[in-house]
Amino acid sequence: MSDVHVPAQPKRSLGGWLLIAVPYVWLLIFFLAPFLIVFKISLSQVAVAIPPYVPTFDLAEGWNGIWDSVSEFSFENYVWLTEDDLYWKSYLSSVVIAAISTLLTLIIGYPIAYGMARSPQSLRPTLLMLVILPFWTSFLIRVYAWIGILKNEGLLNQLLLTLGVINEPLVIMNTNIAVFIGIVYSYLPFLVLPLYASLERLDGSLLEAAEDLGCPPWKAFWKITVPLSLPGVIAGCFLVFIPAVGEFVIPDLLGGSNTLMIGKTLWVEFFNNRDWPVSSAVAVILLMILVVPIVLFQNQQQKMSEREG
């Protein structure tokens, strides 16, 4: 019986190792290290000091001092979050608002991406530029612009009153509707771009074959276009949902006092109450909530890469 020859695996060069190390070092410096700092603060207790929590590490005291500080850590802040219904209501409200906003963004963004993908080749760069054009303006300025549009004396109410559609101004500002409008407008490009990339690669011969076999256009759309565009749909929905859950600027400027989102709650705890330990615990739990969609998004991206490879 002859031995089976297994080809030797090529040795990875120094450049290959550096190429792999760069993203890991980046994540270590800009993600893991800040997360560990926030997690450490979440295990501390609030204090009237600078910084406003104890214990703090003093390297001059050596390992004994560090161990004494670690022994003072506790999970009291996490227990406090479970006892106060403000926090879990904020998490739940944030997830619901982000989910509804993502659905609305998908309903609006899919026809836009589909129209871009089916447009003439020469027109696509212009349409793509129009989608990313809002990014050329400050995010804060764009949100402030919606205040001028949606307020009682704003452009929208003035237009509807002039046309005779309404008899009195609509109350849109300081409501969840204004928050939905702000999130959908702000994050629409994040859904359109990956969805357009998925639809643009769609093989048109599949639709032609379906038409030749007598398949109606609407049925071919549901049977061929929609399934093949699902990777773009999933990627776009995650890119909208994940940042929308922790959104602060839009609900703070467009939403009212009854608009409850975890970003606003985090801001109040950190800057108004100066309770860094509790606010850090809120941030850690928020990150844990977002880990699930992030992992799902990464798995989806990996599967897409494997299929394309």
Side-chain angles (χ1 to χ4, degrees), residues 36 48 87 167 226 296 299-300:
L36 292 177
V48 182
Y87 299 102
N167 296 322
V226 171
L296 292 175
N299 290 338
Q300 180 64 28

Side-chain angles (χ1 to χ4, degrees), residues 105-128:
T105 306
L106 177 62
I107 294 174
I108 298 173
Y110 199 104
I112 296 175
Y114 183 78
M116 292 171 57
R118 297 297 298 271
S119 64
Q121 192 74 30
S122 59
L123 191 59
R124 293 178 188 178
T126 302
L127 296 176
L128 193 61

Side-chain angles (χ1 to χ4, degrees), residues 46-125:
V46 66
V48 182
I50 299 177
Y53 59 85
V54 290
T56 57
F57 290 141
D58 188 357
L59 299 180
E61 297 180 2
W63 288 107
N64 291 332
I66 294 176
W67 178 251
D68 291 339
S69 298
V70 171
S71 63
E72 297 181 28
F73 288 162
S74 70
F75 288 90
E76 292 181 2
N77 296 315
Y78 293 95
V79 176
W80 165 256
L81 296 184
T82 62
E83 295 175 348
D84 193 335
D85 60 354
L86 169 67
Y87 299 102
W88 68 262
K89 286 182 179 179
S90 298
Y91 286 118
L92 181 61
S93 177
S94 297
V95 171
V96 171
I97 290 176
I100 296 175
S101 301
T102 302
L103 178 61
L104 295 174
T105 306
L106 177 62
I107 294 174
I108 298 173
Y110 199 104
I112 296 175
Y114 183 78
M116 292 171 57
R118 297 297 298 271
S119 64
Q121 192 74 30
S122 59
L123 191 59
R124 293 178 188 178

Side-chain angles (χ1 to χ4, degrees), residues 163-229:
L163 297 176
V165 178
I166 57 176
N167 296 322
E168 57 183 18
L170 299 175
V171 179
I172 303 176
M173 274 295 299
N174 300 324
T175 64
N176 285 347
I177 296 177
V179 176
F180 292 141
I181 293 174
I183 293 178
V184 170
Y185 165 76
S186 300
Y187 293 108
L188 184 62
F190 292 106
L191 188 136
V192 171
L193 294 177
L195 188 52
Y196 164 74
S198 181
L199 290 170
E200 198 267 340
R201 294 195 301 265
L202 184 65
D203 189 356
S205 61
L206 297 175
L207 297 175
E208 294 177 0
E211 184 179 355
D212 293 339
L213 294 173
C215 183
W218 65 269
K219 191 172 183 180
F221 175 80
W222 286 109
K223 293 291 185 179
I224 299 175
T225 303
V226 171
L228 293 178
S229 65

